[in-house]
Amino acid sequence: MSTPAREMRREDRRDAILDVAYECFVADGYGSTSMSTIAARLGGSKGTLYNYFRSKEELFAAFVRRSCSELRHDIDSMPPEGDLRGRLVQMARHLLDHLLLPEAIAIYRVVVGEGERFPELTRLFYEAGPRAGVGRMGEALQDLMERGELRRADPMLAAHQFKDLALSGVYNLRLLGMIEDPTPEERTARAEIAVDTFLRAYAP
Amino acid sequence: MSTPAREMRREDRRDAILDVAYECFVADGYGSTSMSTIAARLGGSKGTLYNYFRSKEELFAAFVRRSCSELRHDIDSMPPEGDLRGRLVQMARHLLDHLLLPEAIAIYRVVVGEGERFPELTRLFYEAGPRAGVGRMGEALQDLMERGELRRADPMLAAHQFKDLALSGVYNLRLLGMIEDPTPEERTARAEIAVDTFLRAYAP
DNA sequence: GTCTATAAATGGATAGAC
DNA sequence: GTCTATCCATTTATAGAC
């Protein structure tokens, strides 16, 4: 084995710490979370925390990094089928599902709130999240434009507009905690509404 | 006079404290800002702070409240003139100018970041900011629909889409600190692009 | 590696002189 | 009303027993 049992257990412990850190940072933010609280919830001691992370800042950075890599991993896969409208609705629905995940909302909240103090983490999140997502969407739309299914236009601009139409009236309210998580039916309805508007603007 | 000089000076002092609190909370968030820091930057003592605000939480609440009332005040006035497209462009441009104000971005960041712990302040911000703004936009669009200048549709839905198209590709990047404040020329260009897309979707 | 105990500094909040 | 000084809890981080 390339990873001995010893190191395996160490990785597990590290993950357990990050799990607790996730809960704490998401609930209270960076400044209002203490290492003591994390240690207590972990059922361990602060000494152990500092054995795995050299400082609170480093633990916070590790928490953001892990959340970002999970975002990136989750964004993969999705081959839409059917007619044009049906495929776009699938894409919008996928976008909604992805960006409204409680974990995605939570990390966005933390990164925005703490962005002034941790700009490099904000950039990391941006690359893994919004940038990757819109980039993928842009490629898909460019493909549709080249095949004549959509009017020719700037694919990245269209991708941004597609994303913002899909999230219109939901995402920011969810970010502020002003609405509950939309039901599957509501998501589909919103995806269809967004696509209808988008198609009116981008039909050939 | 209804406000004696004594009370006037007290109000000024209170405002000065809130000015400093604004800088601190915006820069570091709630948890990472200390009353000691605020007192030091104020050039006063903590005792003075506690003479005006009973606790750190109360000071924070006062800071959010003041920011919200400034937002609401600033959102007033705007009678667009000219042809339909020109008027919509003015509205989009006004929206951009308003929501990209450094103070508006800053308070949004803080409210989002601290929303989990101060839900009532989040609601306050929501009522004063997004809700008031989109509401106003909805009324304007409804008016245009009734006069036959726009296709009939749900005015509030259209208002959300109008707002999100206007901010598309700018607001969230600005919120994350990934781009600089757009120049006036860029704002106008973005307003025009948004309106062109909107009009394709909502022309009669 | 993990714990207890503690150092050293700082947090929110208060008391009392002026 | 504002200051200095201070209380006491809590903070990050470390030392040393096991």
Side-chain angles (χ1 to χ4, degrees), chain A residues 33-36 46 50 56:
Chain A
T33 296
S34 77
M35 295 295 265
S36 302
K46 282 193 286 184
Y50 283 98
K56 183 184 171 184

Side-chain angles (χ1 to χ4, degrees), chain B residues 112-170:
Chain B
V112 165
E114 237 68 51
E116 200 85 24
R117 271 146 297 150
F118 299 94
E120 77 287 2
L121 296 182
T122 309
R123 175 158 290 276
L124 192 77
F125 169 80
Y126 169 66
E127 308 282 358
R131 206 170 104 89
V134 174
R136 232 167 272 249
M137 188 61 64
E139 290 171 18
L141 293 181
Q142 184 170 26
D143 200 50
L144 291 172
M145 289 173 186
E146 283 169 0
R147 285 194 279 164
E149 300 197 71
L150 290 180
R151 167 174 70 80
R152 281 206 179 273
D154 178 352
M156 290 306 287
L157 170 68
H160 267 114
Q161 293 187 338
F162 185 85
K163 183 204 71 172
D164 289 321
L165 284 174
L167 300 179
S168 186
V170 194

Side-chain angles (χ1 to χ4, degrees), chain A residues 25 29-32 55-65 68 110-126, chain B residues 26-29 32 109 176-178:
Chain A
F25 283 133
Y30 177 80
S32 301
S55 67
K56 183 184 171 184
E57 289 194 8
E58 195 175 284
L59 174 55
F60 182 72
F63 142 71
V64 173
R65 261 183 258 278
C68 286
V110 173
V111 165
V112 164
E114 237 67 51
E116 200 86 24
R117 285 165 53 80
F118 300 94
E120 78 286 2
L121 296 181
T122 310
R123 174 159 291 276
L124 193 77
F125 169 81
Y126 169 66
Chain B
V26 156
D28 298 331
S32 301
R109 253 191 234 181
L176 288 169
M178 302 309 300

Side-chain angles (χ1 to χ4, degrees), chain B residues 34-195:
Chain B
S34 76
M35 294 296 266
S36 303
T37 302
I38 296 175
R41 277 220 218 177
L42 177 69
S45 71
K46 282 196 283 184
T48 302
L49 290 190
Y50 283 98
N51 184 290
Y52 288 85
F53 303 95
R54 272 185 296 187
S55 67
K56 183 184 173 185
E57 289 195 8
E58 196 174 284
L59 174 54
F60 182 72
F63 142 71
V64 174
R65 261 182 259 278
R66 197 181 65 162
S67 294
C68 286
S69 73
E70 284 169 1
L71 282 190
R72 187 185 278 286
H73 186 269
D74 185 67
I75 210 171
D76 280 332
S77 78
M78 171 198 55
E81 295 175 356
D83 65 345
L84 177 63
R85 182 175 182 279
R87 270 176 292 160
L88 289 175
V89 168
Q90 280 180 63
M91 287 163 68
R93 175 66 203 271
H94 184 80
L95 210 57
L96 274 165
D97 288 341
H98 178 65
L99 292 174
L100 289 177
L101 279 175
E103 296 82 8
I105 295 279
I107 185 65
Y108 193 81
R109 253 191 234 181
V110 173
V111 166
V112 165
E114 237 68 51
E116 200 85 24
R117 271 146 297 150
F118 299 94
E120 77 287 2
L121 296 182
T122 309
R123 175 158 290 276
L124 192 77
F125 169 80
Y126 169 66
E127 308 282 358
R131 206 170 104 89
V134 174
R136 232 167 272 249
M137 188 61 64
E139 290 171 18
L141 293 181
Q142 184 170 26
D143 200 50
L144 291 172
M145 289 173 186
E146 283 169 0
R147 285 194 279 164
E149 300 197 71
L150 290 180
R151 167 174 70 80
R152 281 206 179 273
D154 178 352
M156 290 306 287
L157 170 68
H160 267 114
Q161 293 187 338
F162 185 85
K163 183 204 71 172
D164 289 321
L165 284 174
L167 300 179
S168 186
V170 194
Y171 190 75
N172 282 292
L173 296 190
R174 190 82 191 98
L175 195 64
L176 288 169
M178 302 309 300
I179 57 172
E180 294 300 309
D181 205 28
T183 63
E185 293 76 22
E186 193 180 336
R187 288 164 194 238
T188 299
R190 288 196 174 274
E192 288 173 347
I193 286 171
V195 168

Side-chain angles (χ1 to χ4, degrees), chain A residues 2-197:
Chain A
S2 58
T3 52
R6 174 98 34 102
E7 294 196 6
M8 198 54 186
R9 283 203 302 273
R10 184 170 171 85
E11 273 304 301
D12 287 350
R13 186 78 158 138
R14 197 186 128 98
D15 280 346
I17 292 174
L18 284 173
D19 288 341
V20 176
Y22 173 88
E23 290 172 29
C24 293
F25 283 133
V26 156
D28 298 332
Y30 177 80
S32 301
T33 296
S34 77
M35 295 295 265
S36 302
T37 303
I38 296 175
R41 277 220 220 177
L42 177 68
S45 73
K46 282 193 286 184
T48 302
L49 290 189
Y50 283 98
N51 185 293
Y52 288 84
F53 303 94
R54 272 185 296 187
S55 67
K56 183 184 171 184
E57 289 194 8
E58 195 175 284
L59 174 55
F60 182 72
F63 142 71
V64 173
R65 261 183 258 278
R66 197 182 64 162
S67 294
C68 286
S69 74
E70 284 169 0
L71 282 190
R72 187 185 278 286
H73 186 269
D74 184 67
I75 210 172
D76 280 331
S77 78
M78 171 198 56
E81 296 175 356
D83 65 346
L84 177 63
R85 183 175 183 279
R87 271 176 292 162
L88 289 175
V89 168
Q90 279 180 65
M91 288 163 67
R93 176 64 203 269
H94 185 79
L95 210 57
L96 275 165
D97 288 341
H98 178 66
L99 293 174
L100 289 177
L101 278 176
E103 296 81 9
I105 294 279
I107 185 65
Y108 193 81
R109 254 190 231 178
V110 173
V111 165
V112 164
E114 237 67 51
E116 200 86 24
R117 285 165 53 80
F118 300 94
E120 78 286 2
L121 296 181
T122 310
R123 174 159 291 276
L124 193 77
F125 169 81
Y126 169 66
E127 308 281 0
R131 206 170 104 90
V134 173
R136 231 167 272 249
M137 187 62 62
E139 290 171 19
L141 293 181
Q142 185 170 25
D143 200 52
L144 291 172
M145 289 174 186
E146 283 169 359
R147 285 193 279 165
E149 300 199 72
L150 290 179
R151 167 174 70 80
R152 281 206 179 274
D154 179 353
M156 290 306 286
L157 170 67
H160 267 114
Q161 293 187 338
F162 185 86
K163 183 203 72 173
D164 289 320
L165 284 173
L167 300 178
S168 186
V170 192
Y171 189 75
N172 282 293
L173 295 190
R174 189 83 191 97
L175 196 64
L176 288 169
M178 302 307 301
I179 57 172
E180 294 300 310
D181 204 28
T183 63
E185 292 75 24
E186 195 180 336
R187 289 165 193 238
T188 299
R190 288 196 174 275
E192 288 173 345
I193 286 172
V195 168
D196 287 341
T197 297

